């Protein structure tokens, strides 16, 4: 390689390090823990709400969630009057009421719950927001709007394999997803090998609520080799997200439920799994997906959405 090209490439590499360092700095300054240090708890509240909802879905019902409810109540108590009308606050009240009702309905010993939690929940006012659990039944549909609007994460599946024609349909949905400059840098792996399944089951975080015996496992990856310069360093995740979403909607249209399972493992574990899956060195894991045919009825978290006017803004 000519010396001028070598110098140019060195300059490009320096840019990648510089911008990645800036990413790291911005992330550290702004991620959830740093926000909490500044007194901003909205996303912590959302995490606690989701965690209580997931706990309420458990099949083997048992008293649970006391510490989470206590943490949530303590956070809500700190709210300013402005925050008491926020989406997060109202949703938290709603989930706490549903959670306490579950204790009552199951005859669990409420004296295990600190009295300040019970007293506080009793002061909560019902709102238009629904939190807790809901029953989900799959209704076959092919209309685009019906498919997209009826999908929910499923964590419970029938005990049978995904049929080839259904998988093929979802794979064509995966492959027609747009990709930057049509580079098609994403892949989806169906993990059938028993040892790899065991390894992934031990590694994937957020597997609670899944019956791994009946869960078909997919891994979605992107290839850093496709990315051209520093500004594209985060494009792989976006491209994988688009393809993965098309894929799960394709599965859903064929009666196959699914749930993304966050790939947020530490770098060392990530490297170990990439090696075990025999990915090439430039290939990164974006997300894992658990899937299978819907059971007739399942209990799922309500996962109430924010009002549209809080996510859409005209500038
Ligand atoms: C990137 C991503 C990662 C997720 N990771 C997990 C996970 O690890 N475990 C889990 O049970 N659900 C996971 N979910 C599912 C979310 O909890 C779910 O999408 C959310 O609560 C909204 O509910 P819905 O999909 O039923 O509408 C994940 C979803 C996304 C998009």
């Amino acid at each position: 390689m000519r010396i001028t090209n070598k110098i140019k490439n060195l300059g490009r590499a320096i840019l990648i390090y510089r911008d990645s360092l800036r990413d790291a700095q911005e992330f550290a300054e702004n991620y959830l823990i740093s926000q909490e240090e500044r007194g901003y708890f909205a996303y912590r509240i959302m995490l606690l709400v989701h965690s209580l909802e997931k706990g309420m879905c458990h099949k083997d019902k048992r008293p649970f969630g006391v510490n989470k409810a206590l943490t949530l109540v303590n956070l809500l108590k700190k709210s300013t009057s402005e925050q008491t009308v926020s989406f997060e606050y109202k949703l938290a009240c709603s989930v706490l009421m549903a959670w306490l009702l579950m204790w009552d309905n199951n005859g669990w010993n409420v004296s295990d719950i600190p009295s300040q939690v019970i007293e506080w929940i009793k002061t909560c006012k019902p709102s238009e927001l629904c939190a807790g659990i809901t029953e989900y039944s799959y209704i076959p549909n092919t209309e685009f709007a019906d498919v997209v609007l009826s999908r929910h994460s499923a964590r419970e599946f029938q005990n049978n394999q995904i049929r080839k024609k259904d998988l093929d349909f979802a794979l064509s949905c995966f492959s027609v997803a747009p990709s930057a400059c049509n580079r098609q840098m994403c892949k989806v792996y169906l993990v059938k090998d028993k040892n790899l399944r065991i390894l992934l089951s031990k590694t994937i975080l957020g597997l609670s609520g899944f019956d791994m015996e009946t869960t078909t496992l997919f891994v979605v990856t992107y290839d850093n080799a496709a990315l051209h310069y520093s500004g594209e360093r985060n494009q792989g995740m976006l491209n994988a997200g688009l393809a993965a979403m098309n894929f799960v909607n394709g599965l859903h249209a064929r009666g196959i439920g699914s749930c993304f399972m966050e790939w947020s493992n530490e770098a060392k574990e990530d490297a170990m799994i990439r090696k075990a899956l025999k990915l090439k060195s430039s290939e990164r894991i974006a997300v894992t997906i658990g899937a299978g045919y819907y059971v007739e009825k399942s209990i799922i978290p309500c996962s109430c959405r924010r009002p549209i006017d809080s996510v859409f803004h005209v500038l």
Side-chain angles (χ1 to χ4, degrees):
M1 193 191 291
R2 286 171 51 189
I3 187 79
T4 46
N5 281 343
K6 275 194 172 171
I7 293 170
K8 270 189 192 163
N9 287 351
L10 183 65
R12 290 182 179 116
I14 290 171
L15 259 183
I16 293 172
Y17 280 100
R18 190 199 66 185
D19 291 350
S20 300
L21 261 179
R22 187 169 293 172
D23 281 348
Q25 189 187 347
E26 276 200 25
F27 185 76
E29 277 170 12
N30 292 299
Y31 81 128
L32 190 139
I33 303 291
S34 302
Q35 298 292 344
E36 286 183 335
E37 282 173 2
R38 290 178 217 131
Y40 183 72
F41 296 102
Y43 286 110
R44 171 68 67 192
I45 291 174
M46 292 302 284
L47 281 178
L48 287 163
V49 168
H50 181 63
S51 185
L52 283 173
E53 285 189 328
K54 271 190 83 176
M56 291 168 77
C57 295
H58 267 261
K59 277 212 157 129
D60 52 337
K61 292 213 170 6
R62 62 197 151 69
F64 78 99
V66 173
N67 286 338
K68 283 175 184 146
L70 179 62
T71 311
L72 196 47
V73 166
N74 285 336
L75 284 179
L76 297 177
K77 278 182 180 169
K78 287 190 204 163
S79 301
T80 60
S81 58
E82 208 175 274
Q83 285 165 340
T84 60
V85 291
S86 68
F87 173 79
E88 293 83 4
Y89 187 97
K90 288 199 260 178
L91 197 65
C93 290
S94 183
V95 83
L96 284 167
M97 286 190 282
W99 172 76
L100 190 57
L101 189 65
M102 185 174 226
W103 277 67
D104 277 341
N105 289 344
N106 285 284
W108 296 335
N109 187 1
V110 287
S111 63
D112 291 345
I113 305 174
S115 56
Q116 85 242 42
V117 171
I118 298 183
E119 291 314 314
W120 196 88
I121 295 175
K122 282 184 180 161
T123 66
C124 287
K125 293 190 189 74
S127 72
E128 72 284 8
L129 301 183
C130 159
I133 52 176
T134 184
E135 197 176 79
Y136 186 80
S137 300
Y138 176 71
I139 301 166
N141 41 43
T142 49
E143 280 291 315
F144 173 78
D146 292 339
V147 171
V148 173
L149 296 175
S150 68
R151 186 214 57 84
H152 264 296
S153 294
R155 299 173 179 88
E156 201 186 345
F157 311 109
Q158 288 179 33
N159 191 11
N160 50 13
Q161 295 218 333
I162 296 181
R163 287 185 284 276
K164 185 175 178 316
K165 68 175 176 25
D166 293 333
L167 181 59
D168 284 349
F169 175 72
L171 290 173
S172 49
C173 296
F174 183 94
S175 92
V176 298
S179 65
C181 302
N182 200 25
R183 274 170 281 183
Q184 303 175 58
M185 66 204 72
C186 302
K187 288 185 183 169
V188 55
Y189 294 85
L190 164 58
V191 184
K192 278 188 160 179
D193 179 87
K194 199 174 159 213
N195 292 331
L196 285 177
R197 279 178 56 84
I198 293 172
L199 185 63
L200 279 168
S201 309
K202 286 186 188 153
T203 320
I204 297 171
L205 309 166
L207 263 182
S208 85
F210 287 87
D211 173 3
M212 286 315 289
E213 290 297 311
T214 56
T215 301
T216 301
L217 260 184
F218 296 99
V219 177
V220 175
T221 68
Y222 61 92
D223 191 353
N224 271 335
L227 305 174
H228 196 183
Y229 53 93
S230 173
E232 288 201 321
R233 67 195 175 284
N234 298 318
Q235 286 301 308
M237 273 291 182
L238 175 63
N239 284 259
L242 297 173
M245 193 66 234
N246 255 24
F247 180 62
V248 301
N249 275 332
L251 292 173
H252 176 58
R254 294 299 164 107
I256 298 163
S258 67
C259 184
F260 290 110
M261 296 175 298
E262 189 163 274
W263 188 250
S264 51
N265 299 59
E266 285 188 7
K268 204 171 153 194
E269 224 166 26
D270 173 62
M272 181 268 287
I273 293 292
R274 280 156 59 197
K275 195 169 168 202
L277 296 177
K278 297 195 174 68
L279 303 186
K280 60 177 189 165
S281 59
S282 57
E283 207 174 346
R284 302 295 308 254
I285 298 173
V287 73
T288 57
I289 298 170
Y293 289 98
Y294 285 106
V295 290
E296 199 181 331
K297 274 182 187 158
S298 58
I299 301 296
I300 61 163
C302 285
S303 300
C304 177
R305 297 305 204 259
R306 295 180 193 280
I308 298 297
D309 63 5
S310 76
V311 295
F312 175 67
H313 303 280
V314 179
L315 301 173

